[in-house]
């Protein structure tokens, strides 16, 4: 697929999304992190974050666009403009 390899870990009630280089992806993919809060503690998922285009095909471009929008949203939130 055309996506980001990621580990999702839930320990002590906290979810962490980590890249293959151990970068935290929670802010970049906040909706995924929030959804994974429903996992049981001490759960580990190994997979890939993928976005699909309008035709249902994996699209790295769509994923990059999501990333840019998430970064803008995080910046606006930290600046108090949301």
């Amino acid at each position: 697929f055309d996506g980001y390899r990621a580990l999702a870990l839930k320990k002590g009630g906290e979810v962490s999304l980590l890249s293959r280089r151990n970068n935290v992806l929670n802010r970049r993919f906040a909706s995924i992190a929030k959804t994974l809060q429903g996992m049981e503690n001490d759960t580990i998922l190994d997979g890939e974050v993928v976005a699909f285009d309008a035709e249902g095909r994996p699209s790295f471009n769509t994923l990059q666009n999501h990333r840019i929008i998430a970064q803008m949203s995080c910046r606006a939130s930290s600046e108090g403009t949301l």
Side-chain angles (χ1 to χ4, degrees), residues 16-17 33 40 57 59 61 65 75-76:
S16 297
L17 290 176
E40 291 190 29
R57 298 176 301 216
S59 169
N61 185 47
N65 288 338
R75 238 182 261 127

Side-chain angles (χ1 to χ4, degrees), residues 11-31:
K11 186 169 185 157
E14 296 294 321
V15 170
S16 297
L17 290 176
L18 303 173
S19 74
R20 67 174 182 235
R21 291 194 173 106
N22 215 30
N23 294 321
V24 178
L25 301 174
N26 288 42
R27 290 181 77 183
R28 185 174 295 166
F29 300 110
S31 60

Side-chain angles (χ1 to χ4, degrees), residues 3-73:
Y4 291 109
R5 173 82 186 272
L7 285 176
L9 313 165
K10 185 167 183 189
K11 186 169 185 157
E14 296 294 321
V15 170
S16 297
L17 290 176
L18 303 173
S19 74
R20 67 174 182 235
R21 291 194 173 106
N22 215 30
N23 294 321
V24 178
L25 301 174
N26 288 42
R27 290 181 77 183
R28 185 174 295 166
F29 300 110
S31 60
I32 294 171
K34 182 178 178 182
T35 299
L36 294 177
Q37 282 293 332
M39 295 188 306
E40 291 190 29
N41 274 320
D42 300 319
T43 299
I44 300 172
L45 297 177
D46 181 3
E48 191 162 352
V49 178
V50 179
F52 297 93
D53 65 17
E55 286 79 40
R57 298 176 301 216
S59 169
F60 193 72
N61 185 47
T62 301
L63 185 60
Q64 288 294 94
N65 288 338
H66 171 81
R67 179 179 167 204
I68 291 166
I69 291 167
Q71 286 174 339
M72 290 171 49
S73 178

